[in-house]
Amino acid sequence: MADVVIIGAGLTGLSTAYHLEKLGFTDYKLFEKETEVGGLCRSVHQDGFTFDYTGHLLHINDAYFKEFIANVVGFEHFNTIHRKSFIYSQNTYTHYPFQVNLHGLPSETIASCIEGFITRPTTKKPPLDFKKWVLTNFGKGIAEYFFYPYQEKIFSYPVEKLSASWTGRFVPKTSLTEMIQGALQPPQEQQIGYNAQFFYPKQEGIYFWIKKLHGQLKQPVYTQREVTHINLAQKQVVFSDGSTEKYNTLINTMPLNIFLSLTQSTTQNFAHASKKLLCNSVVNFNLGIKRENFSDKHWIYYPEKQYPFYRIGFSHNFAHSMAPQGHSSLYGEFSHLQKPPHEVQQMLATALEQTKKLLKIEDHELATEKIITIPHAYVIFDRWRDTNLPKILTALLDKDIHSIGRYGGWKYSSMQEGLLEGKSMAEKIILP
Ligand SMILES: Cc1cc2nc3c(=O)[nH]c(=O)nc-3n(C[C@H](O)[C@H](O)[C@H](O)COP(=O)(O)OP(=O)(O)OC[C@H]3O[C@@H](n4cnc5c(N)ncnc54)[C@H](O)[C@@H]3O)c2cc1C
């Protein structure tokens, strides 16, 4: 029995444990199904290359998070990097964000984007659905050349069924002046959007700072302990080996849809909810390339349908340690929603073939290849989620269960938010 049981030692679970201990509380147990901690914030090493579970860059705009990184990890272990990100469409590279960097695109595309912005519909209330939100903020041209095809690729979900509730800070808005300037001038460095500057560990990939966080814990993390059932009545979690652990308060960071299915509760209709909560999967293909400085870009967005991937990045530009000397490394990503394995394999084959063709990589230049699958990647913000998620989380709270983190809380959140959520969770428990 532990007063507090935490499921999942990803960043949010580790942060909750760290902050509980910081507040002097040790009557907790943290259980993780994998052999190591870190969840999505891990890195793998292969043939001298380091690959993250797809590109993971540290964005810091919160004072406490900055202080945490300074004190617990040390900024001297990070490179500070100014974003060089691009969009590839109509055979042209334009700087990100698309809406203020139209320079270089065919003149009819630029005209359509500017005209669409000027004639965009206005609404009194901000639209609730994503398709209308884009139209009223950016107009038809920008919607059709970038936002609609790109978001459909990253979410694998029709834009008309997406809600606008996730947009917030992720989509920088613009003015007509900025748009016209960006159409007339050659692309230049801009500090727009939440990811204009980022930090990246000099060594060991993104896992470096997660290991530092783990290293702060005085209590053990119980790895290889997969929760397979939650007995709500007896306030007890059951593990795959049949062992059990009782709790007063349960903190869940595993994906909410799976968690709900493990409660096998009929009264709350959690089984139904677990099927209605949608989340896509991402396949992350990593290539080690026998060429120095293969690209000077950090990453490129691909909105066009002809490419299965939505983004390709170059991690040798985050830290030299990511690739052996004289080599470069590339990560690509495509998403799918519950596609059968043979279709995913086909998408992967096409993605690899097109990446090599587009970026002119010869087979003999390939040093290594690592495919990483991320079964829960982007939560789908549809109307069902917006209406029902608060009710589900409240019903769990009534049973002393806090479901938090990117997948426990069923949302779009960054590493910074994961760390901060663990802090506020610990404070909620200790300082009610
Ligand atoms: C494609 C992609 C790109 C991203 N890029 C960035 C980025 O550039 N910058 C950034 O800040 N953030 C990025 N993120 C977000 C970041 O990965 C998350 O915010 C963070 O990893 C969430 O941590 P978590 O602990 O909430 O979830 P997770 O990392 O999913 O941790 C949950 C843990 O629960 C464990 N678990 C699951 N089921 C069980 C079970 N039954 N029993 C016991 N344990 C279990 C899992 O093994 C895992 O360790 C990205 C995310 C994705 C998907």
Side-chain angles (χ1 to χ4, degrees):
M1 161 96 196
D3 189 17
V4 174
V5 164
I6 307 169
I7 304 177
L11 172 57
T12 311
L14 288 170
S15 171
T16 307
Y18 167 79
H19 289 96
L20 282 173
E21 288 190 12
K22 222 178 148 204
L23 291 164
F25 182 91
T26 52
D27 190 8
Y28 77 86
K29 281 187 181 167
L30 170 52
F31 295 102
E32 167 57 49
K33 73 169 180 176
E34 300 290 341
T35 51
E36 57 182 5
V37 305
L40 265 187
C41 301
R42 285 179 289 164
S43 312
V44 290
H45 307 285
Q46 181 174 298
D47 298 329
F49 292 85
T50 300
F51 301 117
D52 292 342
Y53 279 53
T54 198
H56 264 72
L57 317 171
L58 200 59
H59 310 292
I60 304 180
N61 59 16
D62 174 86
Y64 174 80
F65 188 47
K66 194 172 179 183
E67 189 189 307
F68 171 89
I69 292 290
N71 296 338
V72 174
V73 191
F75 273 105
E76 68 276 17
H77 297 299
F78 289 88
N79 290 324
T80 306
I81 305 171
H82 292 280
R83 178 189 67 205
K84 280 195 235 161
S85 64
F86 293 78
I87 293 150
Y88 185 74
S89 63
Q90 300 179 71
N91 301 319
T92 308
Y93 286 103
T94 52
H95 276 221
Y96 173 86
F98 184 79
Q99 58 271 30
V100 290
N101 288 298
L102 300 171
H103 186 85
L105 286 167
S107 53
E108 54 278 20
T109 306
I110 298 179
S112 154
C113 290
I114 294 181
E115 188 185 345
F117 188 74
I118 295 168
T119 58
R120 69 194 189 280
T122 49
T123 49
K124 282 195 184 124
K125 280 192 198 159
L128 295 178
D129 82 80
F130 180 71
K131 193 167 185 185
K132 284 203 191 99
W133 183 90
V134 171
L135 208 57
T136 54
N137 278 290
F138 300 105
K140 193 165 177 281
I142 289 187
E144 289 179 355
Y145 283 110
F146 182 68
F147 281 106
Y148 291 169
Y150 183 74
Q151 295 304 334
E152 258 183 27
K153 267 167 100 171
I154 198 165
F155 284 117
S156 294
Y157 205 65
V159 274
E160 58 274 13
K161 290 188 180 173
L162 285 175
S163 97
S165 58
W166 61 275
T167 51
R169 70 185 190 289
F170 291 106
V171 186
K173 296 196 188 153
T174 189
S175 69
L176 185 58
T177 310
E178 284 174 318
M179 196 181 281
I180 291 174
Q181 277 171 350
L184 294 174
Q185 292 169 2
Q188 44 189 276
E189 282 308 313
Q190 285 154 345
Q191 297 302 304
I192 298 174
Y194 76 100
N195 57 5
Q197 179 186 280
F198 60 91
F199 299 88
Y200 196 82
K202 289 178 180 167
Q203 301 290 334
E204 294 181 52
I206 203 65
Y207 200 26
F208 173 81
W209 83 270
I210 304 297
K211 285 201 277 189
K212 287 270 181 191
L213 167 62
H214 180 207
Q216 295 289 312
L217 296 185
K218 293 181 186 71
Q219 301 265 97
V221 176
Y222 299 91
T223 51
Q224 294 178 279
R225 299 296 302 277
E226 182 179 0
V227 173
T228 50
H229 178 60
I230 297 104
N231 188 326
L232 298 175
Q234 290 180 22
K235 296 184 88 173
Q236 172 173 278
V237 292
V238 183
F239 298 93
S240 53
D241 61 4
S243 61
T244 59
E245 191 73 38
K246 278 188 169 285
Y247 59 83
N248 288 325
T249 301
L250 182 62
I251 297 170
N252 170 56
T253 73
M254 79 154 94
L256 181 60
N257 63 336
I258 298 178
F259 179 86
L260 293 176
S261 71
L262 299 184
T263 64
Q264 292 166 11
S265 161
T266 47
T267 47
Q268 299 290 345
N269 219 355
F270 285 168
H272 173 68
S274 85
K275 291 196 184 86
K276 296 293 279 184
L277 291 168
L278 297 178
C279 185
N280 72 17
S281 304
V282 158
V283 177
N284 161 224
F285 52 97
N286 299 281
L287 301 178
I289 304 165
K290 295 178 200 163
R291 213 195 296 175
E292 196 154 22
N293 300 328
F294 174 72
S295 168
D296 64 352
K297 299 177 173 61
H298 292 130
W299 65 89
I300 305 162
Y301 299 103
Y302 293 89
E304 291 175 347
K305 274 209 171 103
Q306 58 179 308
Y307 307 111
F309 38 84
Y310 58 84
R311 182 167 51 194
I312 287 180
F314 305 96
S315 35
H316 63 271
N317 291 325
F318 304 156
H320 293 311
S321 60
M322 300 299 280
Q325 202 159 17
H327 292 67
S328 302
S329 61
L330 168 160
Y331 64 92
E333 300 157 27
F334 67 85
S335 74
H336 69 92
L337 190 66
Q338 296 162 354
K339 274 203 194 306
H342 70 276
E343 283 185 35
V344 178
Q345 277 311 315
Q346 186 53 53
M347 277 181 93
L348 174 61
T350 311
L352 287 168
E353 199 184 297
Q354 293 205 7
T355 301
K356 288 191 255 174
K357 199 167 150 201
L358 191 66
L359 300 177
K360 300 185 175 51
I361 305 168
E362 301 289 336
D363 280 342
H364 67 83
E365 290 186 291
L366 289 179
T368 197
E369 178 184 299
K370 174 79 187 166
I371 310 299
I372 296 173
T373 52
I374 303 176
H376 280 80
Y378 291 98
V379 161
I380 307 293
F381 283 68
D382 59 0
R383 286 174 208 118
W384 196 94
R385 174 202 172 276
D386 284 4
T387 312
N388 293 285
L389 181 65
K391 295 181 202 161
I392 298 168
L393 296 178
T394 307
L396 290 174
L397 267 183
D398 286 345
K399 301 192 174 303
D400 298 313
I401 299 170
H402 301 259
S403 197
I404 63 169
R406 180 165 165 127
Y407 303 104
W410 210 252
K411 60 195 171 198
Y412 196 140
S413 62
S414 64
M415 291 184 277
Q416 173 175 280
E417 284 161 297
L419 186 106
L420 294 177
E421 201 178 3
K423 175 178 183 277
S424 48
M425 186 70 258
E427 287 167 354
K428 223 178 264 175
I429 289 175
I430 306 300
L431 320 164

